[in-house]
Amino acid sequence: MRSEIESIVDALIEFRDKRDWAQFHNSKDLALALSIEASELNELFLWKKPEEVDEEKLKAELADVFAFAFLLSRKHGFDVKKIVFEKIRHNAKKYPVRKSRGSAKKYSDLQ
């Protein structure tokens, strides 16, 4: 049974392949596209209060970020669920609740 994420990635791959765009989806270009889309996401908030963001544009840009991240993960054969949970476990060690709760400090600055 395919996971929801795998189904999303499969749909992205189908969309891409129908347009013969796989030739452009090397790791470098996917990473650059992800960065550019993240910048476009940030631009929605530029010079505004967070609550002033256009939510339709936010959804569209966030979808672009997810799409390129998912395509990059598939390119390398990564299991998205697995790598995200691994990162959560890693960050839990770097940011123990007793030291980091309510703090925006970097792990190296926690006392």
Side-chain angles (χ1 to χ4, degrees):
M1 182 176 188
R2 310 279 303 154
S3 73
E4 288 184 26
I5 292 173
E6 289 170 327
S7 296
I8 292 167
V9 179
D10 288 345
L12 289 166
I13 296 292
E14 181 181 353
F15 179 89
R16 179 199 69 192
D17 289 351
K18 284 182 178 178
R19 289 153 181 83
D20 191 27
W21 290 349
Q23 62 184 314
F24 308 117
H25 286 187
N26 60 69
S27 296
K28 174 193 68 83
D29 288 328
L30 288 170
L32 288 170
L34 175 57
S35 177
I36 290 164
E37 294 300 339
S39 294
E40 291 177 8
L41 177 68
N42 286 334
E43 187 178 26
L44 297 176
F45 293 95
L46 186 63
W47 315 123
K48 297 175 185 161
K49 295 177 183 174
E51 60 275 7
E52 293 175 341
V53 70
D54 180 319
E55 289 204 355
E56 290 306 310
K57 290 179 181 177
L58 177 60
K59 287 191 290 189
E61 294 303 339
L62 195 53
D64 288 340
V65 169
F66 288 144
F68 285 116
F70 289 156
L71 288 168
L72 185 58
S73 69
R74 172 70 64 90
K75 180 80 175 172
H76 289 272
F78 299 151
D79 178 321
V80 172
K81 182 178 177 180
K82 180 180 177 185
I83 65 174
V84 170
F85 280 116
E86 285 173 356
K87 185 63 176 181
I88 291 169
R89 284 190 299 277
H90 177 77
N91 282 344
K93 292 176 186 172
K94 287 171 51 174
Y95 294 94
V97 174
R98 64 182 172 74
K99 290 185 178 182
S100 60
R101 184 171 175 84
S103 173
K105 291 181 180 178
K106 186 173 178 173
Y107 67 93
S108 58
D109 295 329
L110 293 172
Q111 299 297 331

